[in-house]
Amino acid sequence: MSAHSTKNDYLPSLIKTSAISAKRYATILTMLLGESSLKSVLHAIVRLIEEKNFGSKSSILLLSSDGKRLLKAAAPSISDSYNNAINGIEIGPKVGSCGAAAFLGQRVIVEDIASHENWAPYRELPLSVGLKSCWSEPILSGEGEVLGSFAMYYEEVKAPRAEDLALISEAALLASLAIERDRSSRFQRLCGGIFNQMPLALLITDAKGTVLDANPSFFDIMHSAKTDLAAFEPHCVFEQSSIELAHLFEQIRSGNAWHGELIGRRADDESFYADVNVTVFKESEDIEYSYAWIFSDITDKKSAAETIHYQAKFDPLTQLVNRPHLFEKIEQQINMSKLNPYACFSFILMDLDNFKQINDSLGHKLGDEVLIQVAERIKACMGKNDVLGRLGGDEFALIIPDEVCPEVLSKLVQQLNQVISQEYLLDSHQRVFTRLSAGISRFPQDACSLEQLLNCADQALFCAKEQGRNQFHFFNDQMQSDAERTAKLTNALKLAIENDAFELHYQPIVCAKQHKIRHVEALVRWRHDGRLVRPDEFIPAAEASGLIIELGRWVRVEAMKTLLEFEALGLDIGISINVSTFEFWSHDLQDCLINSITETATKILPEGFPFHKLTLEITESLLMKEQVHLINSLSQLRELGIKIAIDDFGTGYSSLSYLSEFPVDIIKIDKSFIRDVNDKKQAALVSAVVALSRALNLDVTVEGVESHLQLAFVSEKEVDSIQGYFFHKPLEKTALLEVITKH
Ligand code: C2E
Ligand code: CA
Ligand code: CA
C-alpha cells in the first residue's frame, strides 16, 4: 500500500477478505463506539493480532505532535527495557522498521534484524530481548497523514505470508480509526468547553434568525434567561439607528464576515458597547447562510478610552459635540445615504446675534454662562435623533437626520428663536437677552458633500443676518448664484491687486461760501474688462474676502502721494480717504492701519508729512463697536494731525451720544437728506444736525448736491463744505489738476 492511498480506498476490500474474525472485529468496534480510552483500544488491537498470529509480538507507536518522533502506545508483550529504549526515537528513512515506515509512509519488512542495514546502529536492542524480525506498517489517517506505526515482531528470522500482510494492514486501519476517533472526540470536548466557558457571547442563528445555539456568556452579557430566547432580532439587541448595523447586514447577507463595534441593548434595556464579529457559514446542503455572532461587552474598556477621546469630540463648555465631531457625524449621514438612496437630512447653522456685545460688556465668564443656557434651551427643542454641536464661539449647529418637511423645519427654528430670545438670568443676577439667526441647508436637495452643505447653510445664515437678524433662511439657488458671483469677483479682485488694476479718482469738495476747491475725496475705481467699475460693486466683496486690507493700503499710499504732488504744485488742497469699517475690525487691524499710514509717510516724505491735510472718512456703524481701543486709535491718528470725518451721517445707527465721546472733526451729511428739498422733516433734521455740530465744534459737509435748488437749500443751512455733481464729478488726476488750475 502506498503512503498516499486513503482508508476509503481499501476499506471495502479489506472487510470482504478480513483476516480477523467477525467476533473479534465486533469487540474492537464496540470499544471504538463506546467510551473506551485510546490506550485500551490500542491494547485490544495488539492483543487481537497476537492471538490471531500466534508467536508474534505486536507494538503500536504514535507519531509525536511535531511529527518527528515515535512514542510508545501499546506493546504489552514486548519487554519494558526495549519499549523504553525506543520510546521517543527520531524517525528517518533508515531508522529500524517502524522509524522508516513512519518516515516513508510505507510498509517496511525486515526479515532479519541482525543483517538489515536499517537496524545496524540499534540491532543490539531487539536482539538482546530475543526479537529477530520486524514487519512494520504505517498507521495512516483518512487523509493519508502518518499517525504512527504498527509492528509485528518474531523471535525468529521470518518472511510474511500474504495473510500476514493483510493482517498488518487491518491492524493499522483499526489503530487509525481508534486514533482518529480519539482526536475528534477530544476536539469536540475542547469545542464544547470553549463554547461554554469562553467569556465572549456566542450565538448561532440561521438566516431567519432562529437561534440554533447560544452559550452561557450570551445570557450573562444580555442579562437574559435562556427561556427568553426564541429568535434573535439584531435590531432589538443592537441600536437600530446605527449606521454600522446597516453596513453589517449588507455584508453578511452577501456572505462576508463582519467585524465592528455596535451599541447593544440588554434585556433590562441597559445599553452597552459590543465588539462584534459575525461569521457567515453554510453547510454544503444548506441554501441559506447561517451566522455565528460572537461579541464581547467592551463598555468598561470603551469608557476608559472614551474619557480620553471625550475631549477630542466634545466641547468642554457645553458638553455638545464639537466642530470636528459634528462634521464626522455629517459625513456618516452622507455615507449612509450610499446604502439608502432615499436618505435625507437637514443641517441648521445657528449664530447668536449680539453675543460679542454680551461678551465684551459682561466678560467671558458670564458670556460662557449664556452659551451653556443657550445649549440647554436648544436641546429642549430637539428630537431624539437630532445632533446638536457647538462649532465654536456663539455658533451652534443641528443635524436633523430624519426626513422633515420645510414647514416642520420652519416651525422648529421659530420655536428655537422664541426660546433663545427669552431672558437669561445669570448667576450674578444679571439679566441679558440674545437672539438667534439660522441658515438651513438640506441633503441632498441643496448639497451632497459636507463642504457644500456647510457652505449652503452658511450662505443662508448670511442672508438671515443681512435681513436684520433674528431670522432664519433656507438655502436657495439665488444664494448659490450670488455666492458664485462673489467668488468670481473675489478672484478677479485678487488678480486686480496683483496687476495694479485700480486707480483713484478725486471729487472736489468746495467751501460753502466761495465755492472754492479746498479739498478732494479720493474714490477708488477698478479698470476691469475695459470699463471702470464703481466701488459699490466691488467693495463689499473686497470686505467679505479680507482683500479690503490690501486695497485700503494701496488707496492710502496713492492718495498720500497725490497730496505731496499738490504740495509740490503749491496747491493748498486736502485729501479725504475712505476707510472701511473692516480695517477697524480688531485691535491688531487698527494698529496695522496706523502703522501703514506712518510708515508710508516716512517713506515718501521723511522730513515731515503734512498730516493736517489728510482726512479719514469712517462710517457711523464703526462707532457702535467696542470703544476704548477705537477711541485710542482715532486719538492717535488725530495726534498726527489727521482729521476724522463721519461719512454718510444719518444713515446708520443714529445715536447721537457717541458724537460727543468720539474724537471726530467733520460730519458728512448723507445725500439722502437733501434729495427732496421740500421734505420738511428732512429739512428739520439737516438743521438739527448742523446745530448739533456747531455745538460740538464739528465741521459739516453736505454730499450729493446736484441742483440749484439743493444748493440753495444747503446754503441756507450754513454748512461748511459742499460736495456734489453740481460742482464736480469725480475726476481723473490730470483732469482734476486742470480744473484746479483753471479755478
Ligand atoms: P462715499 O464715501 O459716500 O462717496 C461718495 C459717493 O457719492 C461717490 O460714489 C461719488 O461719486 C458719489 N457722489 C458724489 N457726488 C454725488 C452727487 O451729486 N450725486 C450722486 N448721486 N452721487 C454723488 P462712488 O465713487 O461710486 O463711491 C461709492 C462708495 O464707495 C463711497 O461712498 C465709499 O463708501 C466707497 N468707496 C469709494 N472709494 C473707496 C475707497 O477707496 N475705500 C473704501 N473703503 N471705500 C471707498
Ligand atoms: Ca466718503
Ligand atoms: Ca458719503
Side-chain angles (χ1 to χ4, degrees):
M1 186 185 7
S2 98
H4 303 290
S5 64
T6 68
K7 194 162 52 193
N8 292 341
D9 294 338
Y10 63 82
L11 191 59
S13 64
L14 186 73
I15 288 177
K16 256 189 276 163
T17 62
S18 178
I20 304 171
S21 73
K23 192 170 157 234
R24 287 185 177 124
Y25 233 105
T27 314
I28 304 288
L29 288 178
T30 312
M31 289 181 90
L32 280 177
L33 295 170
E35 295 283 299
S36 306
S37 70
L38 176 64
K39 198 171 173 194
S40 56
V41 180
L42 296 181
H43 257 263
I45 294 171
V46 166
R47 287 289 184 217
L48 190 81
I49 302 300
E50 288 174 348
E51 276 170 31
K52 172 82 177 110
N53 263 20
F54 189 72
S56 72
K57 293 182 177 192
S58 296
S59 135
I60 295 175
L61 297 172
L62 297 181
L63 193 62
S64 61
S65 51
D66 62 4
K68 288 186 176 154
R69 285 165 298 114
L70 286 172
L71 304 171
K72 67 175 180 180
S77 310
I78 299 174
S79 83
D80 279 348
S81 66
Y82 179 76
N83 284 336
N84 292 339
I86 63 163
N87 186 29
I89 194 161
E90 211 166 295
I91 62 172
K94 292 203 156 78
V95 178
S97 306
C98 295
F103 185 87
L104 302 168
Q106 281 173 10
R107 180 184 298 158
V108 175
I109 304 290
V110 173
E111 293 168 15
D112 182 5
I113 288 174
S115 62
H116 199 283
E117 56 165 342
N118 274 17
W119 283 94
Y122 327 96
R123 65 172 65 108
E124 282 317 310
L125 281 174
L127 293 178
S128 68
V129 295
L131 303 174
K132 295 206 172 125
S133 61
C134 178
W135 316 328
S136 184
E137 178 83 15
I139 302 169
L140 301 174
S141 73
E143 281 73 43
E145 162 204 7
V146 175
L147 302 173
S149 67
F150 175 83
M152 271 165 92
Y153 292 87
Y154 281 91
E155 290 180 338
E156 55 189 311
V157 173
K158 191 171 165 78
R161 296 161 300 160
E163 58 259 43
D164 292 329
L165 296 179
L167 192 64
I168 298 183
S169 294
E170 263 176 282
L173 171 64
L174 287 172
S176 151
L177 290 175
I179 296 165
E180 290 216 278
R181 184 217 57 161
D182 180 67
R183 273 191 181 182
S184 81
S185 66
R186 199 173 335 148
F187 181 69
Q188 264 173 14
R189 275 198 310 278
L190 216 63
C191 289
I194 293 170
F195 185 82
N196 283 321
Q197 286 164 33
M198 70 181 194
L200 308 174
L202 170 57
L203 178 96
I204 300 171
T205 72
D206 64 12
K208 292 182 187 67
T210 313
V211 175
L212 305 178
D213 215 338
N215 72 350
S217 287
F218 175 82
F219 299 101
D220 278 355
I221 291 178
M222 295 308 297
H223 293 179
S224 69
K226 258 193 171 125
T227 44
D228 299 342
L229 190 72
F232 174 63
E233 296 275 2
H235 283 296
C236 300
V237 173
F238 299 111
E239 229 158 67
Q240 263 197 48
S241 67
S242 109
I243 299 154
E244 289 85 356
L245 202 57
H247 182 238
L248 180 154
F249 280 114
E250 198 203 28
Q251 283 279 106
I252 66 172
R253 282 192 190 123
S254 56
N256 295 311
W258 186 88
H259 173 228
E261 279 177 18
L262 294 174
I263 295 175
R265 199 158 284 288
R266 303 189 216 274
D268 49 12
D269 219 30
E270 185 190 64
S271 60
F272 66 100
Y273 285 104
D275 181 46
V276 182
N277 272 284
V278 189
T279 310
V280 182
F281 61 96
K282 201 192 247 182
E283 296 285 342
S284 50
E285 64 272 18
D286 289 350
I287 301 164
E288 290 185 303
Y289 292 113
S290 297
Y291 306 117
W293 295 73
I294 301 177
F295 57 90
S296 55
D297 178 352
I298 52 164
T299 312
D300 287 347
K301 206 168 94 190
K302 195 83 181 162
S303 60
E306 255 172 22
T307 350
I308 298 165
H309 284 294
Y310 189 83
Q311 284 99 331
K313 299 203 166 185
F314 292 88
D315 166 42
L317 179 68
T318 58
Q319 316 300 321
L320 298 179
V321 166
N322 66 11
R323 172 184 286 265
H325 193 41
L326 191 92
F327 290 178
E328 253 171 49
K329 298 241 172 205
I330 296 177
E331 295 274 27
Q332 281 174 2
Q333 288 287 337
I334 294 174
N335 286 337
M336 244 208 325
S337 73
K338 290 175 190 151
L339 301 178
N340 171 12
Y342 300 108
C344 53
F345 65 93
S346 308
F347 178 70
I348 307 180
L349 190 62
M350 295 169 279
D351 192 302
L352 300 180
D353 287 341
N354 58 339
F355 186 70
K356 194 170 164 7
Q357 262 162 290
I358 294 178
N359 240 353
D360 286 347
S361 57
L362 301 181
H364 286 274
K365 198 169 158 281
L366 295 185
D368 284 353
E369 251 184 73
V370 174
L371 290 175
I372 293 169
Q373 290 191 32
V374 166
E376 290 305 321
R377 292 184 190 186
I378 301 176
K379 268 198 248 170
C381 303
M382 277 164 50
K384 188 170 126 255
N385 296 331
D386 300 354
V387 181
L388 176 65
R390 179 173 169 230
L391 301 186
D394 59 344
E395 223 179 29
F396 295 86
L398 192 58
I399 308 171
I400 300 179
D402 308 309
E403 181 171 6
V404 178
C405 66
E407 291 73 33
V408 175
L409 278 177
S410 302
K411 275 221 182 86
L412 170 68
V413 185
Q414 274 162 358
Q415 191 195 355
L416 289 174
N417 267 337
Q418 202 238 326
V419 296
I420 296 304
S421 57
Q422 279 162 22
E423 184 182 58
Y424 294 78
L425 184 60
L426 305 180
D427 261 359
S428 55
H429 303 297
Q430 264 156 312
R431 292 158 193 273
V432 288
F433 288 91
T434 184
R435 293 186 312 183
L436 194 74
S437 293
I440 306 167
S441 60
R442 285 167 304 154
F443 176 94
Q445 297 96 314
D446 300 333
C448 290
S449 73
L450 168 68
E451 202 190 354
Q452 284 172 341
L453 208 63
L454 295 177
N455 208 354
C456 292
D458 214 38
Q459 287 175 39
L461 176 62
F462 182 78
C463 267
K465 295 212 154 199
E466 282 238 300
Q467 288 176 7
R469 299 164 181 257
N470 191 31
Q471 311 232 349
F472 68 92
H473 244 288
F474 282 89
F475 172 79
N476 59 39
D477 291 341
Q478 179 63 42
M479 291 174 194
Q480 184 59 29
S481 50
D482 286 353
E484 279 165 13
R485 222 191 22 252
T486 309
K488 257 195 202 155
L489 193 63
T490 306
N491 273 337
L493 279 176
K494 257 185 218 156
L495 288 177
I497 288 180
E498 284 163 23
N499 300 336
D500 222 4
F502 294 103
E503 54 188 67
L504 283 187
H505 284 199
Y506 299 89
Q507 184 179 28
I509 300 172
V510 301
C511 67
K513 293 219 170 72
Q514 295 129 336
H515 300 171
K516 278 196 177 153
I517 300 175
R518 294 263 181 263
H519 210 85
V520 295
E521 176 174 1
L523 296 162
V524 69
R525 301 287 181 263
W526 175 22
R527 209 167 270 290
H528 180 53
D529 279 348
R531 69 179 184 112
L532 270 190
V533 186
R534 298 273 292 250
D536 288 337
E537 289 183 52
F538 63 84
I539 294 281
E543 288 179 334
S545 60
L547 290 172
I548 191 72
I549 306 293
E550 246 179 287
L551 179 61
R553 190 171 301 148
W554 180 88
V555 168
R556 286 190 294 275
V557 173
E558 237 3 71
M560 286 166 78
K561 282 184 188 160
T562 303
L563 188 62
L564 292 191
E565 283 176 49
F566 291 164
E567 295 279 291
L569 291 168
L571 300 171
D572 182 18
I573 290 176
I575 294 189
S576 282
I577 304 171
N578 292 288
V579 185
S580 163
T581 308
F582 281 75
E583 293 200 64
F584 287 93
W585 197 251
S586 67
H587 298 176
D588 281 351
L589 285 175
Q590 291 173 23
D591 297 345
C592 269
L593 171 74
I594 297 169
N595 290 340
S596 87
I597 291 174
T598 50
E599 276 163 22
T600 308
T602 355
K603 200 167 154 199
I604 59 178
L605 193 64
E607 49 275 27
F609 189 86
F611 285 117
H612 63 284
K613 291 203 173 157
L614 212 55
T615 301
L616 295 188
E617 297 194 0
I618 59 175
T619 54
E620 278 174 302
S621 58
L622 181 61
L623 307 184
M624 302 302 291
K625 278 178 73 70
E626 178 269 333
Q627 319 230 330
V628 184
H629 199 271
L630 178 65
I631 291 179
N632 204 357
S633 299
L634 293 179
S635 302
Q636 261 178 283
L637 291 166
R638 284 178 95 220
E639 274 160 30
L640 290 172
I642 295 174
K643 294 193 183 63
I644 306 295
I646 298 190
D647 205 358
D648 305 340
F649 187 82
T651 56
Y653 303 82
S654 299
S655 156
L656 296 176
S657 60
Y658 60 73
L659 275 184
S660 58
E661 289 163 26
F662 276 90
V664 170
D665 306 276
I666 300 162
I667 282 179
K668 291 184 83 174
I669 298 179
D670 189 66
K671 42 185 171 283
S672 58
F673 285 86
I674 57 153
R675 197 167 293 138
D676 182 3
V677 294
N678 297 318
D679 185 329
K680 294 222 168 77
K681 245 192 207 159
Q682 303 269 20
L685 271 172
V686 175
S687 305
V689 171
V690 173
L692 180 76
S693 307
R694 291 278 163 269
L696 294 172
N697 207 14
L698 306 175
D699 272 6
V700 178
T701 303
V702 177
E703 299 183 301
V705 174
E706 295 180 356
S707 65
H708 274 291
L709 265 180
Q710 287 171 326
L711 178 61
F713 173 80
V714 301
S715 302
E716 203 178 276
K717 302 290 178 214
E718 295 184 16
V719 301
D720 300 289
S721 309
I722 305 172
Q723 181 177 359
Y725 295 167
F726 180 81
F727 292 105
H728 303 281
K729 292 203 162 177
L731 302 163
E732 282 184 43
K733 193 157 59 184
T734 40
L736 172 77
L737 290 175
E738 263 175 43
V739 167
I740 294 175
T741 36
K742 242 192 244 159
H743 225 68

